[in-house]
Amino acid sequence: MENATLKLRGMSCASCARSIEDAISSVPGVNECSVNFGAERATVDYDPRKTDLQAIKDAVDAAGYSAYPLQKQNLMAGEDDEEKRDRQKESRNLLRKVTIGGIISTVLAIGSLPMMTGLHLPFIPTWLHNPWLQLVLTTPVQFWCGRSFYVNTWKAFKRHAATMDTLIASGTSAAYFYSLFVTLFPNFFISQGLIPDVYYETAAIVITLILLGRLFENRAKGQTSEAIRNLIGLQAKTARLIRNGREIDVPIEEVEIGDVVLVRPGEKIPVDGEVVNGTSTVDEAMVTGESIPVKKQPGDEVIGATINKTGSFKFRATRVGKDTVLAQIVQLVQQAQGSKAPIQRLADQVTGWFVPATIAIAILTFIIWYNIMGNVTLALTTTVGVLIIACPCALGLATPTSVMVSTGKGAENGILIKGAESLEIAHKIQTIVLDKTGTITQGKPTVTDFLTVDGTLNSNEIKLIQLAASVERNSEHPLAEAVVRYAQSQEVPLADVRNFEAVAGSGVQGIVSNHLVQIGTQHWMEELSINTQALQQDKERLEYLGKTAVWLAVDGEIKGVMGISDAIKPTSTQAVKALQKLGLEVVMLTGDNRRTAESIAREVGIKRVLAEVRPDRKAVAIKLLQAEQYNSRGAGAIANPKSKIQNPKSKIVAMVGDGINDAPALA
């Protein structure tokens, strides 16, 4: 079996996606097909011995749509510039039609108020309800604004199918042509004892509202593509290769497995690989969630799109293109976006019979009324009523509007809501999973403890903070930035530094106010023969709490130790308690080390911790939590798929995260 992704054009509603799925699935050799209406893509598993992409493409064309295969390298491209221009052009066209349709619909609705209410409304001129004026106003809305409904209905008819467009075109056409007949032959209706009312405003308003829904939908699709585009934007554009002893810059697409790549401080690592020469620290928060940069030396793995912080190094490329960690994250997000919620599958099934059933009911209505009353006009009126009422105004407007309003209110409160499905099931949530870095914590290293040998008497601590921050100001290391920020928060002025030196992987030193100041690791202090015994217990306690311990020595003597960690947000404990009060199980999920994760969990009151989980495993962890089923006592357990559980109830899980590393789990 082979797998292919097709870009689709011409879909207008969920039933179009169903039609394309049916068309592709009917091709001999196609094993499985899933169409994502939002992303306008189809994922197809097929047997290349029985069929090929051209046959699949021809089946889509025959169904009245168009498709073209996306090459493997383009799967990381999200939405290209041409597609973006087409979408923006379509949005402008829809906005123009909605604006014109809206103005005309408003005039028609005001003119029809006396007829609809049965009241004499003197403030509305009688000429506004003139049938000929309403005919002139409605015609451009019916055939220009509503042109796409007729085009799509004809396409569906040619393949012996019916879509929502069929219903919209049938309903509005019935209202329009019935009104046209009344306008041309009013005496015929009077002779039948009926009032010659027209329903032009119904046709115009329905078309305008449906187009407004399409406008919202089109913008939502653009945002979906933009999310993927932002993911892609994380990767470097070029790589600096070492070939034949020379440095050359090449586009990232030209990097091959085995190439040696040079990375300098501050640059993004272009692809995945293994360090072969040099040492540095790398900010891997984007992938692992670890807030403090990780030391890298020969033999260590580096990940594409992470940021090199301090030193230069060379690495050998081991994974490129679609095999890199970032590419796999993008692919996971695309797969999640393409998967269908149960309610969506139900909607697909409903659209399959809803339109034909509605048309059948309308025809049956005509037959029954004609047989009972013997009045063709009354039978026609009731038939039009069925088509108009069944015309999916709610699907076209109410759903997008409610989503727009609720997501807008959420945004006002700092909450981004992905879509209607999320809103639909939010009240059923049983477990809420919180990422650590940037969600529970602030997402950047912070000095949380500053312990000194001589205590805080005689402004001793202020003096030591000044010495430490003055030296660290010359370093680019994130831990150094944390020390400088700490001094600024204490309003401690910084002094000038002479003979500054950064010792790779160990620490920094310099002369401040004629004092030699050295700041660094335990190992470096031991190399310098500096005795750290005075604060050794404090250092061990800091490390037990998951903090990074940094020593401060002045003139060859230990004077203090700093605890640096990713500080907890002031509101996190309160938020966790509020969630638990709602009866939710709160779980922490992080790529950080277990000791740090459990320490932070204890502080905020979280009892269950999933630590050291890589991005590609985070999505698996969410699936495992979703698969947990409650027994009669309410205790959670991972359910064995082969075991028989009475009344199984899968958990509804919510995920809270802030970083790209959380994207697959969030999706």
Side-chain angles (χ1 to χ4, degrees):
M1 303 298 290
E2 288 192 8
N3 180 273
T5 302
L6 304 175
K7 185 68 183 175
L8 304 170
R9 292 189 187 277
M11 290 193 295
S12 61
C13 66
S15 56
C16 294
R18 180 63 184 266
S19 298
I20 294 174
E21 276 186 7
D22 291 343
I24 294 176
S25 299
S26 66
V27 176
V30 171
N31 180 50
E32 190 178 354
C33 171
S34 175
V35 174
N36 182 350
F37 174 58
E40 296 182 322
R41 291 190 179 193
T43 305
V44 186
D45 287 324
Y46 67 97
D47 187 341
R49 294 166 299 180
K50 296 179 181 177
T51 189
D52 56 21
L53 286 178
Q54 187 58 46
I56 295 169
K57 183 176 175 298
D58 290 343
V60 176
D61 292 342
Y65 306 93
S66 60
Y68 62 90
L70 283 174
Q71 300 301 319
K72 289 292 184 185
Q73 59 267 31
N74 291 341
L75 290 176
M76 278 280 285
E79 185 179 51
D80 60 33
D81 291 335
E82 185 182 350
E83 284 179 290
K84 194 173 183 180
R85 281 195 299 271
D86 288 346
R87 192 178 299 287
Q88 288 171 343
K89 182 180 177 182
E90 187 180 350
S91 281
R92 287 194 298 270
N93 186 37
L94 280 169
L95 182 60
R96 192 182 309 117
K97 289 182 176 181
V98 167
T99 303
I100 293 170
I103 293 169
I104 291 173
S105 296
T106 303
V107 172
L108 291 170
I110 292 170
S112 300
L113 278 175
M115 181 268 290
M116 288 190 286
T117 61
L119 301 173
H120 175 64
L121 303 173
F123 58 88
I124 297 175
T126 53
W127 55 265
L128 264 183
H129 193 52
N130 183 296
W132 290 100
L133 173 64
Q134 294 206 351
L135 171 63
V136 171
L137 290 174
T138 306
T139 300
V141 178
Q142 185 72 33
F143 298 108
W144 177 65
C145 295
R147 180 178 180 274
S148 61
F149 302 128
Y150 287 103
V151 171
N152 293 332
T153 298
W154 176 245
K155 286 180 181 177
F157 177 75
K158 286 197 295 185
R159 62 177 189 274
H160 311 294
T163 66
M164 289 297 181
D165 287 324
T166 308
L167 199 56
I168 296 163
S170 302
T172 57
S173 295
Y176 177 84
F177 287 110
Y178 173 80
S179 301
L180 177 62
F181 188 71
V182 172
T183 305
L184 295 173
F185 309 106
N187 293 330
F188 172 79
F189 288 83
I190 294 170
S191 68
Q192 297 287 323
L194 295 168
I195 300 171
D197 287 327
V198 293
Y199 299 95
Y200 289 118
E201 83 287 342
T202 304
I205 290 170
V206 166
I207 286 173
T208 303
L209 295 186
I210 299 295
L211 289 176
L212 181 63
R214 296 268 166 97
L215 178 63
F216 289 159
E217 202 172 62
N218 197 62
R219 288 180 176 175
K221 287 179 186 175
Q223 289 166 357
T224 300
S225 299
E226 198 62 33
I228 296 291
R229 186 187 286 264
N230 290 339
L231 271 174
I232 311 305
L234 289 169
Q235 66 182 356
K237 302 295 183 287
T238 61
R240 186 176 292 109
L241 304 186
I242 308 295
R243 284 183 179 168
N244 302 322
R246 292 190 306 114
E247 295 180 17
I248 57 168
D249 288 337
V250 301
I252 191 170
E253 295 80 12
E254 295 181 16
V255 179
E256 298 176 358
I257 293 174
D259 280 342
V260 176
V261 185
L262 173 65
V263 186
R264 291 173 179 158
E267 292 182 341
K268 284 184 179 178
I269 295 170
V271 295
D272 299 358
E274 183 181 303
V275 178
V276 293
N277 183 265
T279 60
S280 181
T281 55
V282 175
D283 181 356
E284 294 185 338
M286 183 277 290
V287 170
T288 64
E290 172 64 75
S291 57
I292 295 174
V294 180
K295 184 179 178 182
K296 298 292 180 181
Q297 54 194 19
D300 289 342
E301 179 189 17
V302 289
I303 302 168
T306 56
I307 300 170
N308 181 31
K309 300 293 285 186
T310 51
S312 297
F313 65 90
K314 296 174 185 175
F315 74 93
R316 181 172 286 105
T318 56
R319 289 189 297 270
V320 299
K322 64 182 177 62
D323 297 321
T324 63
V325 169
L326 179 64
Q328 287 167 12
I329 290 175
V330 172
Q331 191 175 2
L332 282 167
V333 174
Q334 287 176 332
Q335 286 173 355
Q337 287 182 338
S339 63
K340 291 183 179 179
I343 192 72
Q344 191 177 343
R345 286 193 288 271
L346 178 62
D348 288 348
Q349 291 167 4
V350 168
T351 55
W353 57 260
F354 178 69
V355 178
T358 302
I359 293 172
I361 291 168
I363 294 169
L364 187 62
T365 301
F366 180 87
I367 294 169
I368 291 171
W369 277 95
Y370 182 71
N371 286 333
I372 292 173
M373 304 301 292
N375 188 320
V376 67
T377 307
L378 188 59
L380 181 62
T381 307
T382 49
T383 301
V384 169
V386 170
L387 287 169
I388 295 301
I389 290 165
C391 207
C393 301
L395 293 175
L397 179 68
T399 303
T401 303
S402 62
V403 171
M404 292 284 281
V405 171
S406 51
T407 52
K409 292 301 289 182
E412 286 177 23
N413 292 281
I415 301 164
L416 299 180
I417 299 165
K418 187 180 170 190
E421 292 85 4
S422 310
L423 291 168
E424 204 168 18
I425 61 170
H427 72 285
K428 299 178 182 176
I429 293 167
Q430 295 163 305
T431 296
I432 187 157
V433 180
L434 305 179
D435 167 53
K436 179 184 76 67
T437 307
T439 301
I440 296 173
T441 67
Q442 294 177 356
K444 61 183 180 183
T446 304
V447 175
T448 56
D449 303 84
F450 196 98
L451 307 170
T452 65
V453 173
D454 300 322
T456 56
L457 297 175
N458 303 320
S459 303
N460 174 62
E461 185 180 4
I462 300 297
K463 180 65 177 175
L464 290 176
I465 291 171
Q466 183 186 51
L467 293 175
S470 298
V471 175
E472 293 284 29
R473 180 173 57 175
N474 296 274
S475 172
E476 295 177 350
H477 198 285
L479 297 185
E481 294 171 10
V483 175
V484 174
R485 280 198 303 271
Y486 181 70
Q488 291 169 343
S489 70
Q490 303 290 320
E491 298 182 351
V492 175
L494 303 185
D496 292 331
V497 179
R498 292 183 290 112
N499 302 337
F500 172 80
E501 182 185 357
V503 181
S506 298
V508 292
Q509 63 182 13
I511 296 174
V512 184
S513 304
N514 295 320
H515 293 290
L516 173 61
V517 180
Q518 295 167 309
I519 307 166
T521 63
Q522 168 95 30
H523 181 67
W524 191 39
M525 295 296 138
E526 290 171 357
E527 285 184 350
L528 295 170
S529 300
I530 296 174
N531 187 355
T532 61
Q533 200 58 42
L535 294 173
Q536 193 63 35
Q537 286 186 340
D538 294 298
K539 177 253 186 188
E540 290 172 1
R541 180 177 59 82
L542 291 173
E543 290 186 339
Y544 171 75
L545 294 172
K547 300 178 182 182
T548 300
V550 179
W551 291 103
L552 168 62
V554 179
D555 296 328
E557 291 184 15
I558 281 295
K559 292 295 181 180
V561 63
M562 291 175 279
I564 300 179
S565 70
D566 188 0
I568 294 170
K569 290 178 181 176
T571 54
S572 290
T573 304
Q574 183 185 350
V576 169
K577 285 179 180 175
L579 292 167
Q580 290 169 337
K581 196 173 179 181
L582 290 170
L584 298 173
E585 177 193 22
V586 182
V587 179
M588 180 195 287
L589 177 64
T590 178
D592 213 340
N593 68 76
R594 179 162 293 281
R595 179 187 284 181
T596 302
E598 288 181 346
S599 170
I600 287 170
R602 280 195 301 272
E603 198 166 335
V604 297
I606 294 175
K607 296 179 177 62
R608 188 172 182 186
V609 179
L610 304 177
E612 299 175 7
V613 182
R614 289 289 289 271
D616 54 337
R617 302 299 298 172
K618 281 191 176 183
V620 174
I622 293 292
K623 287 178 181 176
L624 287 173
L625 286 169
Q626 287 171 329
E628 284 187 355
Q629 294 166 336
Y630 284 100
N631 61 28
S632 58
R633 295 179 183 174
I638 298 295
N640 182 345
K642 295 180 181 178
S643 66
K644 293 181 179 180
I645 299 176
Q646 291 184 340
N647 302 319
K649 185 176 74 170
S650 295
K651 279 164 114 177
I652 304 296
V653 179
M655 167 77 184
V656 184
D658 73 312
I660 294 305
N661 61 303
D662 302 319
L666 284 168

